[in-house]
């Protein structure tokens, strides 16, 4: 197997050369924030495109700021490092990037004093995340973390225990994925995805005040629905039973992309298959990830020099 490289503290280094102590606060207390980014491979052009790099690194910096992890790298430096890393690993297939900023102090105690923050980015080939083109989901009994517990706007590593518990419960119950409710019993999101419903001719998605992660794919889906499909889009609270009677339900997310949900809590959604709105948004989405739509070309950063 060829050598794998990572971006670590501003340099491209061998993955095996990066060590994290068993004493690291990142490992002991989950004191870190991260991103999930895709780079899409275009066979026709033999080119790889980093997707929405700027938006992801801006969110990473916001997450780090929120939890008081000080790190010096700018968005531009992180983008440059990402391109160098994809080249170093000679990534020539659709690839997932995982940047993590973590507290690497070694003393005992879950403290966030801003010191000892480190940044690492690794790559992983990733085609389809769900392994299925249509999903069945269940409402989990675990409530979504709230803004005054562990800010969901922040992609904090520790928050993913909440996601993992929800996914475990619903997978054991035979579903493909979980949907969280908030403490106030509004529909929130999946374990790693935002949710949309199409009902009464409108596309609806929960607002940030309902403890969602402000998804980058969610923003794009809202824009595509409004500008390309001429749909009315509402950000408002959704109740559990509204999912059951929606014409369509679907997830959006970097890993999950745009994926239809055809069953919620054993209630068939719409026709029981992908709906027309989801299908159209999916087509628009995949049409722009490799720079083919000039209106959205700035979302895609080419990796290889041509
Ligand atoms: C909890 C959660 N919600 C939503 C999303 C979707 O966000 P994005 O579209 O930025 O990937 C993710 C993935 O990052 C997530 O982990």
């Amino acid at each position: 197997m060829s050598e794998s490289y990572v971006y670590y503290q501003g340099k491209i280094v061998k993955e095996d050369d990066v060590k994290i102590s068993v004493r690291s606060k990142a490992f002991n207390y989950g004191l870190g924030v991260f991103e999930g980014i895709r780079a899409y491979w275009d066979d026709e052009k033999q080119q790889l495109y980093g997707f929405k790099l700027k938006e992801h690194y801006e969110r990473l910096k916001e997450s780090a700021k929120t939890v008081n992890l000080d790190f010096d790298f700018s968005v531009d430096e992180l983008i440059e490092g990402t391109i160098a890393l994809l080249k170093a690993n000679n990534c020539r297939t659709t690839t997932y990037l995982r940047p993590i900023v973590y507290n690497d102090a070694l003393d005992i105690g879950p403290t966030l004093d801003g010191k000892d923050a480190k940044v690492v980015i690794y790559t992983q080939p990733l085609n389809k995340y769900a392994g299925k083109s249509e999903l069945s989901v269940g409402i989990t009994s675990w409530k979504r973390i709230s803004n005054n517990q562990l800010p969901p706007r922040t992609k904090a590593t520790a928050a993913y225990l909440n996601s993992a518990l929800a996914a475990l419960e619903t997978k054991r119950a035979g579903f493909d994925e979980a949907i969280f409710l908030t403490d106030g019993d509004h529909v929130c999101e999946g374990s790693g995805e935002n949710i949309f419903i199409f009902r009464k001719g409108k596309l609806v998605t929960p607002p940030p005040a309902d403890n969602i992660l402000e998804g980058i794919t969610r923003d794009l889906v809202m824009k595509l629905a409004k500008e390309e499909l001429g749909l009315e889009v509402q950000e408002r609270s959704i109740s559990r039973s509204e999912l059951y009677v929606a014409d369509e339900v679907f997830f959006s997310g970097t890993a999950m992309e745009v994926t239809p949900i055809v069953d919620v809590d054993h209630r068939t959604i719409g026709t029981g298959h992908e709906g027309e709105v989801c299908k159209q948004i999916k087509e628009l989405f995949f049409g722009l990830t490799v720079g083919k739509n000039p209106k959205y070309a700035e979302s895609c950063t080419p990796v290889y020099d041509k």
Side-chain angles (χ1 to χ4, degrees):
M1 203 179 118
S2 61
E3 196 89 63
S4 173
Y5 293 91
V6 297
Y7 173 93
Y8 178 67
Q9 294 292 85
K11 296 197 179 82
I12 305 296
V13 301
K14 287 182 188 162
E15 181 169 345
D16 287 348
D17 289 348
V18 177
K19 303 277 181 258
I20 296 186
S21 167
V22 293
R23 295 168 191 269
S24 173
K25 286 185 203 272
F27 179 57
N28 283 251
Y29 307 110
L31 301 191
V33 295
F34 70 101
E35 270 304 319
I37 308 177
R38 270 186 192 263
Y40 282 93
W41 176 249
D42 184 8
D43 234 2
E44 205 180 291
K45 290 200 197 124
Q46 293 286 297
Q47 180 62 283
L48 187 68
Y49 294 93
F51 192 59
K52 299 264 179 201
L53 297 181
K54 183 167 172 281
E55 288 82 349
H56 281 283
Y57 286 120
E58 280 172 355
R59 188 169 67 186
L60 184 69
K61 290 194 70 94
E62 285 180 6
S63 292
K65 177 181 177 187
T66 304
V67 302
N68 207 42
L69 278 164
D70 274 349
F71 78 117
D72 293 335
F73 300 95
S74 67
V75 167
D76 286 345
E77 283 171 313
L78 293 166
I79 292 176
E80 236 175 74
T82 299
I83 290 168
L85 175 64
L86 289 163
K87 281 183 181 158
N89 283 332
N90 194 27
C91 297
R92 289 179 184 273
T93 181
T94 295
T95 300
Y96 195 69
L97 288 143
R98 170 53 51 78
I100 312 175
V101 179
Y102 58 99
N103 183 324
D104 205 26
L106 305 182
D107 55 304
I108 294 286
T111 48
L112 281 162
D113 52 14
K115 287 187 302 208
D116 300 304
K118 300 228 169 99
V119 57
V120 67
I121 310 174
Y122 64 83
T123 65
Q124 166 79 42
L126 182 70
N127 196 3
K128 292 295 157 209
Y129 175 68
K132 266 185 159 181
S133 56
E134 296 181 331
L135 304 178
S136 81
V137 302
I139 304 289
T140 172
S141 65
W142 297 95
K143 293 295 167 79
R144 189 66 176 139
I145 44 168
S146 74
N147 201 42
N148 288 314
Q149 294 166 342
L150 211 175
R153 169 178 289 107
T154 300
K155 260 184 93 71
T157 49
Y160 284 77
L161 183 53
N162 183 229
S163 289
L165 287 168
L168 176 71
E169 180 185 60
T170 47
K171 280 185 184 154
R172 281 188 172 164
F175 298 106
D176 300 313
E177 227 325 4
I179 293 181
F180 279 114
L181 300 181
T182 63
D183 272 341
D185 286 334
H186 294 151
V187 171
C188 180
E189 61 184 346
S191 69
E193 308 84 18
N194 294 113
I195 192 165
F196 285 85
I197 66 170
F198 183 66
R199 183 163 186 241
K200 298 190 176 173
K202 291 177 190 136
L203 194 65
V204 186
T205 193
D210 276 344
N211 292 329
I212 61 163
L213 177 77
E214 291 171 307
I216 291 162
T217 322
R218 172 183 177 274
D219 273 356
L220 179 59
V221 166
M222 290 197 290
K223 190 175 158 84
L224 292 173
K226 274 186 230 166
E227 294 183 12
E228 309 301 324
L229 302 180
L231 288 176
E232 186 180 330
V233 179
Q234 292 183 334
E235 289 179 83
R236 64 153 173 86
S237 296
I238 297 172
S239 56
R240 175 181 192 156
S241 57
E242 205 178 356
L243 293 177
Y244 303 160
V245 297
D247 298 316
E248 296 186 33
V249 182
F250 60 90
F251 276 140
S252 72
T254 297
M256 192 63 95
E257 300 168 304
V258 178
T259 304
I261 294 168
V262 296
D263 186 292
V264 180
D265 287 345
H266 303 299
R267 273 77 166 179
T268 301
I269 305 304
T271 60
H273 291 290
E274 176 174 48
E276 204 45 42
V277 171
C278 178
K279 189 163 163 239
Q280 286 181 34
I281 288 177
K282 218 168 81 177
E283 278 170 15
L284 288 164
F285 176 80
F286 285 113
L288 62 82
T289 54
V290 288
K292 284 190 181 136
N293 185 333
K295 187 170 164 194
Y296 298 88
E298 65 180 27
S299 301
C300 306
T301 310
V303 170
Y304 295 108
D305 311 317
K306 287 277 156 177

